[in-house]
Amino acid sequence: MFVLYPDNVLRTAATGVLHGYARQLVLEQAHRLGLTPDFTPIRLDESALWLDCFVTSSIKLIAPVGKIMAPVVDGVEDGTNNTELKESWSRGNIANARLAWRELY
């Protein structure tokens, strides 16, 4: 997963991810496009700052993320399964933003 932050910072995790071919291509092209790779963990509580979000894979290379849903945390830990989800980020919120994945593709 890659997230574009303000000031052309392209963040992706450094650990716990597959360091595959598609990911490496994105990191190589990021420099050419003036993006600064940052290997700080991506934080969902910073999603209001996100300008773009995409994932890489060996089959599609780059796939944009349209929406991220996360479980609602209600502070109750009674062992029940909480299946309620809320939208944490949406591409619709960034209509005029730079779409990094299109430039990288």
Side-chain angles (χ1 to χ4, degrees):
M1 180 172 172
F2 291 83
V3 170
L4 181 64
Y5 281 80
D7 297 325
N8 292 326
V9 172
L10 186 62
R11 191 176 291 178
T12 187
T15 61
V17 298
L18 179 63
H19 293 262
Y21 175 72
R23 182 177 187 273
Q24 186 59 40
L25 285 177
V26 166
L27 292 173
E28 289 171 5
Q29 292 300 312
H31 289 290
R32 182 181 64 81
L33 296 169
L35 301 173
T36 303
D38 177 358
F39 301 100
T40 307
I42 297 166
R43 298 176 43 104
L44 190 57
D45 63 351
E46 296 176 345
S47 63
L49 298 173
W50 298 1
L51 302 176
D52 199 5
C53 181
F54 60 91
V55 295
T56 57
S57 75
S58 59
I59 295 181
K60 288 197 87 170
L61 291 184
I62 296 174
V65 172
K67 184 185 298 185
I68 295 178
M69 305 291 287
V72 173
V73 178
D74 56 13
V76 178
E77 296 191 22
D78 59 5
T80 61
N81 291 331
N82 186 349
T83 58
E84 185 179 351
L85 298 174
K86 74 170 191 165
E87 184 177 294
S88 296
W89 182 83
S90 171
R91 178 169 303 287
N93 299 337
I94 59 157
N96 296 319
R98 175 180 181 180
L99 297 177
W101 64 272
R102 284 189 183 164
E103 295 178 30
L104 289 162
Y105 208 9

